[in-house]
Amino acid sequence: MSLTKRSWAEPFKIKMVELLKMTTPEQREKAIKEAGHNTFLLKSEDVYIDLLTDSGTSAMSDQQWSGLMLGDEAYAGSKNFYTLEKAVKKFYGYKHLIPTHQGRGAENILSQVMIKKGDIVPGNMYFTTTRLHQELAGGTFVDVIIDEAHDSENLHPFKGNIDLNKLQALIKKHGAKKIPYVCVAVTVNLAGGQPVSMQNLKELRALTQEHGIKIMLDMTRIAENAYFIQQHEKGYSKKSIAAIVKEICSYTDGATFSGKKDALVNIGGFLAVNDQEIFEEASNLVVVYEGLHTYGGLAGRDMEAMAIGIEESVQDEHMKARIGQVLYLGEKMQEAEIPIVLPIGGHGIFIDAKRFLPHLKQDQFPAQTLAAALYVDSGVRTMERGIVSAGRNAKTGDHYYPKLELVRLTIPRRVYTQAHMDVIAESVERVYQDRKKIRGLKMVYEPKYLRFFQARFSKL
Ligand code: PLI
């Protein structure tokens, strides 16, 4: 054994556990059929390891749980609102806070306030709820992410970057007045949890400032993005995650935030802005959709837990363990030659279903098919992030055919152990060995909005 090797482990210990039900392949076969081959429609008690999402599924700390007991459930002016406002100013630097029940609540308010019919909203790859709110407000989303993001094998370290030439061409074509803001996500979920570099943000700031265009951040996984900047961007290796997070925010005018990811809570979100006028309009609109501007659809206790979670999320040791676990699983997959999105991203491992199941056409839903097959093999629940998630073009009615057809194995924070990661990797390997036998699906029920949540399928 090498005497210089020093392993690392999680900076926490486990105080309480939740027991899991073990199922047989026959039970799982029946459950997935009843769920219309859609992992969103499975009952959670039928799931062994739940990698559906990292949203609202993380384990809160003892500090957060004790924060729940400090809930001030006053209708107006809850003291927990002021604690949250203080945390947002301290860690992100934004002037004004509007709490919302979760991220999409903030997206709705921001879109209603800032987007006019016929506007163009550039962004670094779409996200499902974000794009829908932009469209419902009358805008058209245009993807200006760098081309490398659409290639699962490209090793660019910052595949979330905005292509400034694409953005410049868009400004030239439509005029700056038609662009209310650029929507920048850190990290980019549907590209595989890929980060944006600080350099790119600085250049984007300079370009948008020239044209008087605002930048609105989707800062749902900002601390994870900051970790990649610390690890891979020149000049940042000695800076703390907290300092990097604050610097990212400093190049933007506001942000939407789902507290259910980085901030380690089960529910919560906010809109934060610097502009006084936008704040006033947003805090007026929030009372229509969410609740009074000092609670925005949240209980006081949830705001307290989110404020504590924000502080925990920017600790260097926390983030090293969080992304370290994702890396551990990813490296196991690479050893087994499973086709995954590279570089390994922040919140999960994304299997390239087009390369995993090359015998299936994209409209036979390879990622949806693979997610169902993984569940039957081991009770591991994953999520489709491909053609089903992409939905249809509202104008033509055709499916969008995204280049990336992925199955996301999303890792909740502080929930599973290294042994769970081993079981997951072994299951993927087993299914990979038998991949040629896997048949595709056809969609038999399709809801109008965000169809991936509730669509049903049957086997071809
Ligand atoms: O689920 P919400 O409404 O709190 O947040 C919406 C949302 C906004 N932006 C990004 C990048 C997300 O990832 C996001 C939600 N993501 C989910 C639910 C997920 O499973 O990835």
Side-chain angles (χ1 to χ4, degrees):
M1 193 178 83
S2 155
L3 289 177
T4 53
K5 182 165 186 254
R6 281 280 192 271
S7 291
W8 60 271
E10 288 76 3
F12 56 80
K13 58 184 177 176
I14 297 165
K15 194 179 318 225
M16 189 191 277
V17 295
E18 182 180 337
L19 300 184
L20 300 172
K21 187 172 102 181
M22 308 302 281
T23 50
T24 63
E26 293 71 32
Q27 286 169 327
R28 295 193 291 271
E29 199 67 78
K30 185 165 172 277
I32 197 73
K33 202 167 165 208
E34 282 172 7
H37 300 268
N38 184 346
T39 52
F40 275 102
L41 301 179
L42 288 167
K43 290 185 183 143
S44 117
E45 65 170 4
D46 293 333
V47 172
Y48 174 37
I49 302 175
D50 204 347
L51 307 185
L52 184 71
T53 177
D54 63 331
S55 179
T57 54
S58 297
M60 291 207 293
S61 66
D62 51 356
Q63 295 299 313
Q64 287 178 291
W65 280 105
S66 34
L68 294 184
M69 295 308 292
L70 302 177
D72 169 8
E73 306 308 342
Y75 189 91
S78 160
K79 69 179 179 202
N80 313 113
F81 167 78
Y82 298 102
T83 310
L84 180 61
E85 193 185 41
K86 215 162 126 191
V88 168
K89 278 196 182 135
K90 178 173 173 195
F91 293 104
Y92 305 134
Y94 295 121
K95 285 190 193 145
H96 306 293
L97 166 72
I98 296 137
T100 56
H101 76 284
Q102 58 184 87
R104 71 199 69 180
E107 291 167 355
N108 176 35
I109 309 285
L110 179 71
S111 304
Q112 297 282 340
V113 169
M114 293 197 67
I115 300 172
K116 294 186 304 297
K117 197 167 183 324
D119 278 353
I120 303 292
V121 189
N124 51 347
M125 201 173 271
Y126 85 100
F127 183 71
T128 53
T129 57
T130 322
R131 184 180 66 192
L132 181 60
H133 281 298
Q134 291 163 355
E135 288 173 353
L136 290 173
T140 301
F141 166 82
V142 179
D143 191 1
V144 290
I145 203 166
I146 57 172
D147 287 342
E148 287 88 337
H150 296 283
D151 174 359
S152 66
E153 292 174 271
N154 190 295
L155 294 176
H156 192 299
F158 292 101
K159 275 162 102 172
N161 280 356
I162 299 251
D163 183 327
L164 298 170
N165 291 327
K166 283 185 194 170
L167 180 60
Q168 203 143 26
L170 205 64
I171 298 170
K172 198 160 168 214
K173 184 168 167 204
H174 297 280
K177 287 215 163 57
K178 281 267 176 219
I179 302 179
Y181 59 92
V182 179
C183 179
V184 183
V186 285
T187 58
V188 182
N189 191 348
L190 295 189
Q194 302 296 323
V196 178
S197 72
M198 199 70 89
Q199 183 62 28
N200 188 244
L201 282 168
K202 283 186 206 167
E203 288 169 7
L204 177 69
R205 188 59 165 176
L207 174 64
T208 50
Q209 238 161 13
E210 248 178 65
H211 297 275
I213 298 171
K214 291 197 164 26
I215 301 176
M216 290 294 170
L217 207 56
D218 177 345
M219 61 183 289
T220 292
R221 298 183 180 85
I222 190 171
E224 292 175 5
N225 199 113
Y227 180 78
F228 287 108
I229 290 176
Q230 186 190 55
Q231 296 301 307
H232 303 302
E233 191 162 353
K234 207 164 151 245
Y236 287 91
S237 66
K238 295 208 164 55
K239 293 210 167 138
S240 66
I241 302 276
I244 298 171
V245 162
K246 200 135 180 212
E247 186 179 340
I248 293 174
C249 296
S250 75
Y251 301 124
T252 72
D253 299 286
T256 54
F257 184 65
S258 167
K260 301 172 72 173
K261 287 82 170 172
D262 255 10
L264 301 153
V265 283
N266 305 120
I267 195 73
F270 61 71
L271 168 65
V273 292
N274 288 331
D275 186 284
Q276 180 70 25
E277 231 176 277
I278 296 172
F279 169 63
E280 279 171 20
E281 259 194 73
S283 63
N284 188 205
L285 211 52
V286 79
V287 301
V288 181
Y289 291 109
E290 302 280 315
L292 195 73
H293 55 281
T294 54
Y295 76 86
L298 292 172
R301 57 179 172 268
D302 297 327
M303 292 190 279
E304 191 71 24
M306 184 155 61
I308 298 168
I310 287 170
E311 176 153 15
E312 290 179 4
S313 76
V314 299
Q315 303 308 313
D316 287 40
E317 288 304 317
H318 161 69
M319 202 45 74
K320 183 176 164 193
R322 191 291 184 271
I323 305 223
Q325 188 176 47
V326 175
L327 257 180
Y328 176 84
L329 178 60
E331 282 166 2
K332 289 230 147 211
M333 301 260 193
Q334 280 186 286
E335 276 165 32
E337 295 179 4
I338 308 292
I340 61 170
V341 174
L342 293 174
I344 293 164
H347 62 303
I349 300 304
F350 291 66
I351 300 175
D352 185 335
K354 281 188 185 168
R355 285 193 282 142
F356 198 110
L357 298 174
H359 58 288
L360 298 189
K361 291 196 294 233
Q362 198 166 9
D363 57 10
Q364 295 174 327
F365 309 111
Q368 188 78 29
T369 304
L370 178 53
L374 281 169
Y375 170 72
V376 172
D377 180 71
S378 58
V380 171
R381 168 157 71 170
T382 59
M383 185 199 287
E384 191 265 7
R385 295 271 79 157
I387 184 170
V388 185
S389 294
R392 290 183 188 273
N393 181 315
K395 285 189 191 119
T396 65
D398 295 336
H399 290 301
Y400 285 116
Y401 284 86
K403 287 205 180 110
L404 295 176
E405 176 73 24
L406 309 175
V407 174
R408 188 180 73 174
L409 287 74
T410 342
I411 313 296
R413 299 162 188 79
R414 313 192 289 207
V415 172
Y416 292 114
T417 65
Q418 200 153 308
H420 286 115
M421 298 301 122
D422 293 342
V423 168
I424 296 160
E426 285 159 19
S427 174
V428 175
E429 240 183 284
R430 167 94 69 80
V431 175
Y432 194 54
Q433 275 165 11
D434 287 346
R435 63 192 181 278
K436 294 205 173 97
K437 293 189 207 136
I438 296 175
R439 299 190 335 254
L441 296 170
K442 68 169 188 248
M443 205 187 298
V444 293
Y445 168 66
E446 180 176 356
K448 188 168 169 202
Y449 298 116
L450 303 174
R451 63 184 185 177
F452 57 96
F453 284 131
Q454 291 148 336
R456 301 184 71 86
F457 301 82
S458 66
K459 269 191 183 170
L460 282 174

